[in-house]
Amino acid sequence: MNAKLSPGLVPDHAPGKLDAFWMPFTANRHFKANPRLLARAEGMHYWTPEGRQIIDGVAGLWCVNAGHGRREIAAAVAEQLNTMEYAPTFQMGHPLAFELASRLAELAPPGLDRVFFTNSGSESVDTALKIAIAYQRARGMGSKTRLIGREKGYHGVGFGGISVGGMVNNRKAFSAAMLPGVDHLPHTLDIEHNAFTRGLPHWGKHLANELERLIALHDAATIAAVIVEPISGSAGVILPPLGYLKRLREICDKNDILLIFDEVITGFGRTGKPFAAQTFDVTPDLMTTAKGLTNGAIPMGAVFAHRKVHDAFMQGPEQLVELFHGYTYSAHPAACAAALATLDIYAREDLLTRAAGVAPLWENALHALKGLPHVVDIRNFGLIGAVELEPRPGKPGTRAFEVFLKCFERGIMVRQTGEVIALSPPLIIEPAHITRIFEVLSEVIRETA
Ligand SMILES: Cc1ncc(COP(=O)(O)O)c(C=O)c1O
């Protein structure tokens, strides 16, 4: 399996050859001086061009939930491309789009059975925000335009997403171009009260009441929607305190405000049920997804809308467009084929509930890192894990970045964000992979001053 790859698969990384690709969310100069390249993948593993095997501890980027190299997905995409590579979905349709929407509606929390297709998490978020505002207008509540996000939230990189998002580095260069009328709830990360909690923190439900304070400040008549990630990934795995999401739901209901769950990372089995909304038993009005929808094989996102939201648009003359929004590649045939094949795998292998069974082993292995040098917190839920390290004085993020680099050298791919090492492996993970991931991570943390 780890035989060397054919020379054609080895990119030429002689000086200058990597310059043209302006890499996203990457320290470009650092990377190009010392590239980390991936050339092949199968199951739980990547291989570098030199043939070095790497355990994938992050499902690519929280998306390859069924593991790599799924031939069924590749075959379905190839067949679709050979049959019809593209069809528009503006005033036209193709069968797979309708089939996929119906299959997704069956998986969704109750009532969220109308599906709008996008091509990424960022597009799903901006779509959901637009639907929320247009919904309020469609039902005669045009003053409800304000959006409430949360500090440390990550909702992709569109202007809507960074406006409701709360990660300073993603916002500061664009502060003059943010959406107007946005406010933020406080985040729920509190190491002082909750350090090393296994699963959901017990302290912090009251932070949901901050929504009441924002309502008192702005008035419910101006607020269209609240958007939160049930579990934040990008800001370093931030969990909802017990009862927090239910409390947000109650306050939204009381004040006639839509609740949007951004399930781009929590969707498709990450928390032990198809969606975190089901795991936490809180049903939002809109739910954004992407990533695991196609197992990362083809870009695609989907926004699930409650039928009441959808139906509010279905009025007026029938020949008129109800929502002036959509993408050339909404429900792209190849993406639909990939998603349907992915859903088949999830169903056949019970992957959307598998994380619940593996979680106790995962949690024990992760929390065994407690007590290692510089480890200030460990957080977990389902097949998600985070180890927070103490920052080096005056050099934020460098310790965690070094841990990430050393893990990669030793055959484990983790994700670093700020001071956090985040883990979100493919849902097919076996105990031996868990043992190896934490063996290496523990060794590396011990060695990193
Ligand atoms: C919660 C959440 N929303 C939105 C996004 C953006 O998704 P994409 O990178 O596909 O645009 C992400 C990406 O990690 C995410 O974690």
Side-chain angles (χ1 to χ4, degrees):
M1 286 293 260
N2 61 356
K4 285 207 173 216
L5 293 161
S6 66
L9 282 178
V10 182
D12 183 353
H13 55 272
K17 293 285 183 168
L18 303 180
D19 289 356
F21 176 27
W22 186 350
M23 298 173 69
F25 279 121
T26 295
N28 274 256
R29 289 156 301 161
H30 184 278
F31 180 95
K32 287 166 191 179
N34 194 3
R36 294 171 293 284
L37 297 168
L38 303 169
R40 195 168 75 78
E42 184 80 41
M44 280 295 300
H45 296 100
Y46 279 110
W47 280 264
T48 67
E50 299 77 28
R52 210 160 57 76
Q53 192 183 48
I54 312 282
I55 299 182
D56 181 1
V58 279
L61 205 46
W62 304 73
C63 46
V64 187
N65 288 4
H68 297 274
R70 290 301 193 140
R71 304 289 168 243
E72 308 92 307
I73 302 175
V77 170
E79 191 188 326
Q80 183 54 45
L81 289 176
N82 284 317
T83 308
M84 179 175 70
E85 76 296 297
Y86 176 76
T89 51
F90 297 2
Q91 304 284 25
M92 300 293 298
H94 64 87
L96 291 192
F98 297 96
E99 187 186 339
L100 177 59
S102 302
R103 290 274 301 275
L104 289 170
E106 281 164 23
L107 268 186
L112 290 179
D113 58 3
R114 296 293 181 263
V115 182
F116 196 102
F117 289 111
T118 71
N119 308 289
S120 67
S122 299
E123 286 183 1
S124 288
V125 165
D126 282 19
T127 297
L129 299 177
K130 289 176 75 176
I131 290 176
I133 291 171
Y135 161 76
Q136 302 293 8
R137 190 167 187 269
R139 66 185 188 121
M141 308 286 276
S143 70
K144 286 170 89 69
T145 55
R146 194 176 281 283
L147 300 167
I148 308 288
R150 191 166 58 181
E151 295 165 0
K152 292 191 188 286
Y154 182 67
H155 299 292
V157 292
F159 280 107
I162 61 169
S163 300
V164 292
M167 294 180 71
V168 64
N169 286 333
N170 298 348
R171 291 164 53 88
K172 64 185 177 193
F174 316 104
S175 59
M178 294 281 170
L179 290 186
V182 173
D183 212 336
H184 292 78
L185 291 165
H187 65 76
T188 64
L189 179 64
D190 192 302
I191 294 184
E192 205 178 308
H193 288 95
N194 293 325
F196 301 104
T197 301
R198 290 170 175 244
L200 299 192
H202 295 263
W203 184 95
K205 175 184 169 184
H206 65 280
L207 294 168
N209 295 333
E210 289 295 308
L211 180 55
E212 289 188 316
R213 201 179 54 79
L214 294 180
I215 293 168
L217 177 67
H218 299 296
D219 200 286
T222 71
I223 303 175
V226 171
I227 180 167
V228 293
E229 303 152 271
I231 296 175
S232 315
S234 302
V237 180
I238 304 179
L239 301 167
L242 277 166
Y244 172 92
L245 294 172
K246 274 198 164 46
R247 183 73 189 121
L248 276 190
R249 178 72 272 182
E250 276 168 21
I251 301 172
C252 285
D253 283 345
K254 200 168 112 201
N255 291 281
D256 193 21
I257 294 169
L258 293 179
L259 179 61
I260 307 172
F261 276 178
D262 184 349
E263 294 234 22
V264 167
I265 61 156
T266 49
F268 302 101
R270 183 63 46 204
T271 65
K273 293 209 174 153
F275 300 98
Q278 293 150 333
T279 303
F280 298 134
D281 193 24
V282 178
T283 304
D285 303 295
L286 290 158
M287 189 171 81
T288 55
T289 68
K291 299 204 188 241
L293 170 57
T294 57
N295 204 38
I298 299 273
M300 187 179 220
V303 178
F304 293 68
H306 196 283
R307 194 181 293 198
K308 83 169 178 206
V309 173
H310 166 272
D311 288 355
F313 290 86
M314 301 301 136
Q315 50 179 319
E318 284 192 7
Q319 74 280 13
L320 294 188
V321 170
E322 297 102 357
L323 176 65
F324 282 86
H325 181 72
Y327 304 95
T328 299
Y329 301 126
S330 284
H332 189 283
C336 290
L340 284 165
T342 301
L343 294 184
D344 286 343
I345 295 172
Y346 288 156
R348 204 167 50 240
E349 302 181 12
D350 285 331
L351 288 181
L352 297 184
T353 50
R354 190 169 186 275
V358 188
L361 181 65
W362 175 257
E363 178 179 282
N364 284 335
L366 176 68
H367 281 270
L369 304 183
K370 186 176 175 185
L372 292 186
H374 312 296
V375 172
V376 295
D377 191 17
I378 293 178
R379 304 185 279 278
N380 71 288
F381 195 89
L383 269 173
I384 301 175
V387 181
E388 179 146 352
L389 302 173
E390 199 179 7
R392 287 181 178 140
K395 293 183 184 163
T398 58
R399 181 175 279 134
F401 189 57
E402 209 174 299
V403 167
F404 155 72
L405 292 176
K406 285 187 191 159
C407 282
F408 187 74
E409 278 164 23
R410 292 179 205 188
I412 308 290
M413 194 163 106
V414 300
R415 177 126 178 85
Q416 175 244 339
T417 82
E419 314 301 337
V420 174
I421 296 297
L423 293 154
S424 56
L427 307 175
I428 58 166
I429 193 166
E430 293 293 341
H433 305 120
I434 297 182
T435 306
R436 184 65 191 147
I437 288 172
F438 292 111
E439 229 169 53
V440 171
L441 186 55
S442 140
E443 202 176 277
V444 167
I445 290 175
R446 264 176 233 281
E447 287 170 16
T448 307

